[in-house]
Amino acid sequence: MNAMLESLREHWRDQAAALPGDTARRERALEAFLAEGLPTTAEEDWKYTSLAHLEQARLTLPGPVTLARAMAAVERHGVPDLEGPRLVFVNGQLIPPACRLEGRVPGLTIESLAQVLGEHDADEALDRVVDLDRYRLARLNTALFQDGARVRATKGVITDAPIYLLFLTLGDAEAMQLVQPRVLIETAEGASVTVIEHHCGEGEAAVINAVTEIVAQPGSRVTHYRIQEHADTHAQVASLNARLDRDAALVCHNIDLGGAVVRNDVHVRLIAPGADVELNGLYFTRGTSHVDNHTRVDHLAPHTSSREDYRGVLAGRSRAVFNGKVLVAEDAQKIEAHQSNNNLLLSHECEIDTKPELEIYADDVKCSHGATVGQLDATALFYLRSRGLDEDTARGLLTFAFAEEVIARLGIAPLAERLSSTVIGHLPDSDRLRAFT
Amino acid sequence: MLKIKDLHARIDGKDILKGLSLEISAGEVHAIMGPNGAGKSTLAQVLAGREGYEIVSGSVEFCGRDLLALAPEERAREGVFLAFQYPVEIPGVNNVYLLKAALNAIRKHRGEDELDAYAFMKIIREKMQLMQMDASFLNRGVNEGFSGGEKKRNEILQMAVLEPKLALLDETDSGLDIDAMKVVADGVNSLRSPERAIIMVTHYQRLLDHIVPDVVHVLADGRIVKSGDRSLALELEAHGYEWLQQAVGT
Ligand SMILES: Nc1ncnc2c1ncn2[C@@H]1O[C@H](COP(=O)(O)OP(=O)(O)O)[C@@H](O)[C@H]1O
Ligand SMILES: [Mg+2]
């Protein structure tokens, strides 16, 4: 057993009793995870993304952070000006003074998992959607997560204000922390919620292993944001697992602007006619960062639809991976699945591996996919220069515009503005580009 | 103002301009007509500095300077403006910000102060009125989702704001209905001035009913094969380019 797995076993021994919820279930998950270990590049799904550097890392479950330190970090990283409820977690622990839950909407429940596990049905509500055999790191989350959020909307409840979940990781020089955000979103028939998961951090190396589950009952709607702005010392693995019933709709925005090694899995199951998912993604990789997005949409019923548009901007010596899988089950006739992945390479040393994967067992389907890897459009570049803009500004502007098309779809102005500003900050000549926004 | 001497240009190994010569002075409006594929857009793009063309021989002098030695943005700042035959859609780059950046880049080059927001908007509003464009165009992406006619109007709006010395209009009339053509023509006419030269590339003579040129050139097979006054355009209209090719013996 390697050092990482050993350290996990020790933590289990010392801290299992303090973890909220059903200990037996946690233990089963831990044993299964320890038996399998971390995924390796020998596995097809992990071919391009190595977690080998973590095998010898002794991980620590984080202890409490002082309130002053937590509040100062929230101030630095949180998105200001967002209306609506919020839960804030720093190193996996809820920071009540930073949360805002007043002005509750009847039928909408937003809870800290640590507070509700062990009560009612909360334990059984977990692990219902995630395919644990495929997303093995989710088992580690189930075994050792410390806290997270549960969002529930009862029948017909429609909420406008986004629910903001901030997960902050403050890396520590003394020990590499394992921070495991956990989110569960459940919408009853006809309900509608918007949830922003904002994952960010600073400081020394840390490992973040997040799991989100979404269960959408017939006719309900979930708009979900996963905004990742980790420090360039942080490794992050996340899986988003959703099940959509008849006429349910899910829109997912996946934005990656940080992290050293990042792996995101999205798995959406469309289980009844009319279910619809839209996946909207942007990754901007720089330096030596590595961002891997694997998405999988299972069309398990006829008349289901999916649209996916992921874009990447790669700079420096960074690397990105995109793998978009669409599965169409045998009886799933009349489905529509469209996918595109476009990448801009800003340097000669960056690298992208992009692969669509279609597995279709029905015959009456409309599917399309396309991937591009390229440089900026020469005609657009000439157009801008012919208006007097110098070449660097024109290039920066077109790069920004490429990313901005994804950001423009976010629909929440304070969030979009914040991300636009971050993207500009990552481009050369950012001061000049700011004049354009 | 502009002296093109025996210009030969090629792209991808194909000769397009084959010894083209042309002179235009400040205050003049020239029309260039010619069949499809003659090299009209190539000439316009070469003058504006599009990369990818190989200049085999010849020279272009603009206000006493070697135009071909300048980068596209330097040409723009010196006062060359190209209204594109196919204006580019650039989603994510705001129309009004582009106008502002372009105007300020040119002003800076001329040694003038950058305009503040108020002074800038005053100019924009005035020019938009001239082009009968709704203010909503300003906050859209550059040409994004514009109809063909709206794109052409937007090109002339940019020209009106930037006030170039030399304007190259590449088929600004194509795809316009008669009302839109009048708006565009009024826009162009309002910019006629003793300090400015305008070259209009067009396929049809109908634009010339609205913007009356001083000189009409016929460009065929990479060369100016005939120049004359306005009546040349009418003759072309009546007899077609075949007549011309026979007339000049090509
Ligand atoms: N990138 C290119 N590669 C090869 N040939 C080109 C290219 N661009 C234009 N041409 C050719 O150059 C000729 C002149 O084109 P153009 O200048 O657009 O003509 P016009 O504007 O007069 O219709 C045409 O035969 C066209 O096919
Ligand atoms: Mg042309």
Side-chain angles (χ1 to χ4, degrees):
Chain A
M1 191 178 284
N2 64 43
M4 175 192 158
L5 299 182
E6 256 167 41
S7 67
L8 294 173
R9 193 181 278 292
E10 284 165 23
H11 284 297
W12 175 256
R13 227 174 21 230
D14 300 346
Q15 298 184 42
L19 292 168
D22 181 352
T23 311
R25 206 167 49 103
R26 285 183 179 267
E27 186 161 23
R28 280 195 304 278
L30 183 75
E31 290 308 329
F33 177 74
L34 293 178
E36 290 166 342
L38 287 171
T40 72
T41 52
E43 297 166 50
E44 181 63 26
D45 259 5
W46 285 84
K47 195 161 128 189
Y48 298 112
T49 300
S50 170
L51 298 180
H53 66 293
L54 296 179
E55 286 184 352
Q56 295 315 318
R58 294 190 58 83
L59 299 179
T60 305
L61 297 192
V65 171
T66 65
L67 184 60
R69 187 170 171 227
M71 294 304 276
V74 170
E75 184 70 26
R76 281 196 294 281
H77 295 279
V79 179
D81 309 326
L82 270 180
E83 307 272 327
R86 64 171 57 181
L87 288 185
V88 174
F89 301 86
V90 176
N91 286 2
Q93 324 225 358
L94 189 73
I95 310 294
C99 298
R100 184 169 60 206
L101 290 171
E102 72 270 16
R104 292 187 174 208
V105 178
L108 175 70
T109 317
I110 303 164
E111 296 163 320
S112 138
L113 277 171
Q115 286 169 13
V116 298
L117 285 178
E119 289 173 20
H120 314 299
D121 63 335
D123 278 288
E124 291 74 60
L126 295 176
D127 287 346
R128 270 190 304 165
V129 184
V130 55
D131 178 350
L132 291 169
D133 291 327
R134 187 182 303 281
Y135 305 112
R136 283 152 34 198
L137 278 146
R139 285 208 170 103
L140 177 60
N141 181 293
T142 294
L144 290 168
F145 79 88
Q146 292 166 297
D147 202 351
R150 183 180 191 190
V151 174
R152 276 181 294 167
T154 53
K155 194 168 170 182
V157 169
I158 293 177
T159 60
D160 300 323
I163 297 156
Y164 181 53
L165 307 176
L166 176 60
F167 294 97
L168 257 168
T169 297
L170 307 179
D172 200 335
E174 276 160 39
M176 200 193 278
Q177 324 222 45
L178 172 64
V179 177
Q180 303 203 95
R182 182 87 188 205
V183 175
L184 173 61
I185 301 167
E186 299 156 283
T187 47
E189 248 172 82
S192 169
V193 298
T194 298
V195 177
I196 302 171
E197 278 186 44
H198 188 192
H199 299 269
C200 47
E202 61 184 43
E204 305 298 319
V207 177
I208 297 92
N209 177 35
V211 173
T212 301
E213 293 178 272
I214 298 174
V215 190
Q217 299 299 332
S220 69
R221 181 179 181 86
V222 176
T223 305
H224 183 267
Y225 298 78
R226 197 192 56 82
I227 313 292
Q228 186 274 112
E229 299 182 288
H230 277 295
D232 60 8
T233 45
H234 292 177
Q236 188 243 228
V237 178
S239 73
L240 181 134
N241 313 274
R243 186 170 67 212
L244 274 58
D245 211 324
R246 180 179 291 269
D247 296 327
L250 170 66
V251 179
C252 285
H253 302 278
N254 271 291
I255 312 284
D256 284 286
L257 300 176
V261 177
V262 174
R263 164 66 179 244
N264 300 309
D265 282 282
V266 173
H267 184 197
V268 181
R269 273 184 282 206
L270 308 172
I271 63 165
D276 174 82
V277 63
E278 180 179 326
L279 303 176
N280 189 24
L282 172 69
Y283 42 92
F284 191 156
T285 59
R286 301 170 302 140
T288 55
S289 69
H290 178 114
V291 175
D292 177 345
N293 277 290
H294 267 63
T295 67
R296 178 187 171 106
V297 178
D298 296 345
H299 289 262
L300 302 173
H303 295 283
T304 52
S305 47
S306 64
R307 290 168 310 291
E308 177 166 15
D309 178 5
Y310 267 61
R311 293 189 177 201
V313 180
L314 285 73
R317 290 189 288 131
S318 66
R319 182 157 189 200
V321 179
F322 174 82
N323 182 293
K325 179 155 184 166
V326 171
L327 176 127
V328 183
E330 204 172 332
D331 304 326
Q333 304 294 359
K334 308 260 185 223
I335 68 99
E336 239 183 89
H338 301 289
Q339 182 189 91
S340 80
N341 173 236
N342 299 305
N343 298 279
L344 265 187
L345 308 189
L346 303 185
S347 88
H348 294 293
E349 291 156 313
C350 49
E351 192 179 337
I352 169 83
D353 291 285
T354 171
K355 184 175 164 202
E357 252 187 281
L358 299 179
E359 208 177 307
I360 303 178
Y361 300 103
D363 46 28
D364 186 6
V365 302
K366 260 193 209 150
C367 291
S368 71
H369 62 81
T372 64
V373 176
Q375 272 87 39
L376 295 168
D377 177 56
T379 309
L381 199 56
F382 173 56
Y383 188 82
L384 293 177
R385 293 178 73 190
S386 78
R387 298 307 182 243
L389 273 60
D390 64 67
E391 185 173 357
D392 287 346
T393 304
R395 282 183 184 280
L397 206 49
L398 290 176
T399 307
F400 171 68
F402 175 80
E404 180 64 14
E405 272 193 89
V406 178
I407 294 174
R409 288 184 216 135
L410 297 185
I412 298 175
L415 185 62
E417 278 161 26
R418 150 80 172 251
L419 297 177
S420 295
S421 171
T422 306
V423 166
I424 289 183
H426 289 180
L427 291 167
D429 250 337
S430 27
D431 289 343
R432 232 178 303 175
L433 296 180
R434 286 205 197 274
F436 285 88
T437 62
Chain B
M1 177 182 288
L2 182 74
K3 291 195 181 107
I4 306 173
K5 280 197 197 129
D6 196 29
L7 187 62
H8 291 254
R10 62 160 71 131
I11 189 159
D12 294 338
K14 184 176 167 195
D15 292 316
I16 314 278
L17 300 182
K18 305 170 182 172
L20 187 142
S21 298
L22 183 68
E23 278 192 36
I24 177 164
S25 305
E28 292 178 352
V29 175
H30 288 210
I32 297 181
M33 306 184 71
N36 269 330
K40 304 184 295 296
S41 290
T42 301
L43 173 64
Q45 303 256 327
V46 164
L47 293 177
R50 173 85 202 235
E51 280 162 16
Y53 295 98
E54 185 192 343
I55 309 299
V56 183
S57 62
S59 65
V60 180
E61 197 186 297
F62 173 67
C63 298
R65 296 189 63 173
D66 176 7
L67 188 68
L68 300 178
L70 303 179
E73 58 270 33
E74 294 170 324
R75 299 181 197 199
R77 292 170 195 172
E78 288 289 332
V80 176
F81 180 90
L82 168 62
F84 282 52
Q85 181 175 3
Y86 304 108
V88 188
E89 291 197 27
I90 314 181
V93 176
N94 198 298
N95 224 4
V96 71
Y97 292 129
L98 172 60
L99 278 168
K100 190 166 177 202
L103 182 58
N104 280 332
I106 289 167
R107 288 180 67 90
K108 195 169 152 206
H109 181 75
R110 292 184 195 140
E112 295 165 0
D113 285 339
E114 294 198 354
L115 289 175
D116 64 30
Y118 179 80
F120 171 72
M121 283 314 295
K122 189 162 174 285
I123 295 178
I124 296 297
R125 267 195 287 272
E126 186 187 306
K127 307 293 185 185
M128 295 216 32
Q129 202 166 10
L130 172 72
M131 295 314 295
Q132 299 184 15
M133 283 172 78
D134 189 87
S136 66
F137 282 104
L138 286 179
N139 291 311
R140 287 167 60 181
V142 173
N143 293 318
E144 184 183 4
F146 287 23
S147 72
E150 288 165 351
K151 286 180 184 167
K152 297 299 176 81
R153 257 193 257 186
N154 200 32
E155 294 291 285
I156 303 304
L157 171 72
Q158 292 176 358
M159 169 171 122
V161 171
L162 300 180
E163 301 187 315
K165 288 188 196 133
L166 172 67
L168 308 161
L169 312 183
D170 191 359
E171 303 223 16
T172 300
D173 54 330
S174 61
L176 296 185
D177 62 29
I178 193 72
D179 292 334
M181 168 124 81
K182 280 204 184 103
V183 173
V184 164
D186 287 348
V188 174
N189 283 327
S190 75
L191 287 164
R192 288 183 88 147
S193 97
E195 292 87 48
R196 185 169 292 129
I198 299 175
I199 297 178
M200 292 186 294
V201 169
T202 180
H203 209 66
Y204 309 101
Q205 88 90 29
R206 63 172 192 167
L207 179 69
L208 309 184
D209 291 340
H210 301 281
I211 309 171
V212 180
D214 300 301
V215 185
V216 175
H217 306 276
V218 178
L219 200 166
D221 194 25
R223 261 180 300 249
I224 301 291
V225 293
K226 199 164 169 57
S227 301
D229 62 13
R230 238 206 110 197
S231 60
L232 178 57
L234 296 169
E235 266 180 280
L236 275 175
E237 174 106 324
H239 305 293
Y241 290 109
E242 277 168 33
W243 155 80
L244 181 93
Q245 271 152 15
Q246 286 159 13
V248 299
T250 54

